Amino acid sequence: MALKYFLIDVDGVLYNGSTVVDGAVHALRFLRESGLKFQLLTNTSGKTALAVKEKLNGMGFDIFESDIYAAANAMIDFIRKKKKAARCYLVGTVSLEQAMIDAGLKVTRKEEPVDFVVLAYDSEVTYQKLDIALRLLLGGAGFIATHQMKIYPNETGVHINVGAFAKALEYASGKAAYTIGKPNPDFFLDSMRRIKARKEETAMVGDDIFEDIKGAQDCGLKAIFVESGSYKKDDLEKNGIRPDFSLKSIKDIQPIINA
Ligand SMILES: [Mg+2]
């Protein structure tokens, strides 16, 4: 059956750091002009959907905020459903803190009683921040990780990601984190609902073999692997992961749409 709906990862698929992936702008324009629906589905947790939109459009894309479903926003929605004005200890960026406050959540960086410890992307993570998080978890706070990706790519190579710190805290506290972003099936399904996508006609385009490719397949979707980000083709075999399609980059998506 022809593919009509696309969930498209951002980091490593559309750009790496501040470098746009060659042909990505044209590929998204092609999808839109062909009447195919897409959502940019990103585990990005240092930036909200609005910030991702601004970054993309600054690179020449033509994206609306509603085209993007980011783990940062999904995390805020998830916490607000649990408790409207929840108190959160955040390991994360200042811009995520602001988005949480704007949504009515209470955010602290200090060791004081909270409802949740929230672990998100933070390039300034320290021993002290993790150490406080540990004691709050042991004291009974809920544990939320925006995602559990091991690495992320930018133009200087691959870098340690949130998952590694989540695992450290899980190990030390004995408490499992609730993971918001990919590969949580709710994250895929919520984004599909936004474009009224049917499972059998939906494919995930991603560079992360675990979160994007295996995650999508476990959810019953087709998976299109691109080599423009964190992982290379060799990594698929090494990890026993078999995408439905494998491309050099999103630039080559056109021929497989009716495959
Ligand atoms: Mg990615």
Side-chain angles (χ1 to χ4, degrees):
M1 184 175 289
L3 295 168
K4 287 192 182 144
Y5 307 94
F6 295 86
L7 308 180
I8 302 170
D9 180 40
V10 175
D11 267 287
V13 177
L14 303 182
Y15 57 65
N16 283 299
S18 55
T19 308
V20 64
V21 169
D22 180 44
V25 172
H26 181 263
L28 287 200
R29 195 175 300 141
F30 162 76
L31 290 179
R32 212 189 293 275
E33 284 171 0
S34 308
L36 300 164
K37 297 236 167 80
F38 65 82
Q39 279 277 287
L40 304 184
L41 186 63
T42 171
N43 275 358
T44 291
S45 61
K47 289 194 280 298
T48 59
L50 180 62
V52 173
K53 180 202 90 164
E54 282 166 0
K55 177 170 176 177
L56 285 166
N57 289 349
M59 290 174 150
F61 289 92
D62 189 14
I63 296 296
F64 301 96
E65 190 179 348
S66 59
D67 292 326
I68 304 171
Y69 197 52
N73 301 83
M75 177 273 288
I76 291 169
D77 291 346
F78 177 83
I79 294 176
R80 291 191 74 242
K81 262 186 227 151
K82 294 266 177 201
K83 190 174 177 184
K84 263 204 147 121
R87 292 192 62 84
C88 304
Y89 174 76
L90 174 67
V91 179
T93 61
V94 174
S95 65
L96 180 59
E97 177 176 356
Q98 193 54 53
M100 291 170 76
I101 292 168
D102 291 347
L105 299 174
K106 306 237 176 355
V107 181
T108 182
R109 306 288 192 155
K110 294 196 204 105
E111 188 163 356
E112 55 188 345
V114 291
D115 301 298
F116 298 101
V117 167
V118 176
L119 181 65
Y121 175 74
D122 183 354
S123 63
E124 289 165 12
V125 66
T126 61
Y127 176 84
Q128 196 201 6
K129 289 181 183 177
L130 296 174
D131 200 40
I132 292 172
L134 168 67
R135 283 189 294 279
L136 294 175
L137 291 173
L138 292 174
F143 188 11
I144 294 172
T146 45
H147 63 81
Q148 296 239 16
M149 292 163 89
K150 298 171 180 173
I151 55 177
Y152 75 90
N154 71 13
E155 54 274 88
T156 61
V158 294
H159 303 275
I160 190 162
N161 209 340
V162 176
F165 299 109
K167 284 287 175 271
L169 283 175
E170 287 182 337
Y171 187 65
S173 69
K175 203 174 222 177
Y178 180 80
T179 303
I180 299 286
K182 296 170 281 188
N184 184 338
D186 286 342
F187 193 56
F188 289 102
L189 296 173
D190 286 347
S191 71
M192 286 169 62
R193 229 168 271 136
R194 290 158 58 96
I195 51 170
K196 299 186 171 67
R198 284 182 294 269
K199 237 180 194 182
E200 58 279 13
E201 295 171 303
T202 304
M204 173 79 214
V205 184
D207 69 307
D208 191 293
I209 60 176
F210 304 106
E211 273 70 4
D212 296 325
I213 303 305
K214 184 160 190 313
Q217 289 180 328
D218 286 349
C219 203
L221 311 178
K222 296 263 188 297
I224 302 171
F225 170 68
V226 291
E227 268 191 283
S228 51
S230 294
Y231 295 91
K232 298 295 163 209
K233 240 177 163 173
D234 289 356
D235 297 313
L236 292 167
E237 211 163 303
K238 272 185 229 156
N239 290 282
I241 291 168
R242 299 177 64 175
D244 298 274
F245 301 96
S246 183
L247 307 175
K248 279 261 171 262
S249 83
I250 194 168
K251 186 181 183 182
D252 303 327
I253 199 166
Q254 200 165 336
I256 64 165
I257 282 175
N258 295 310

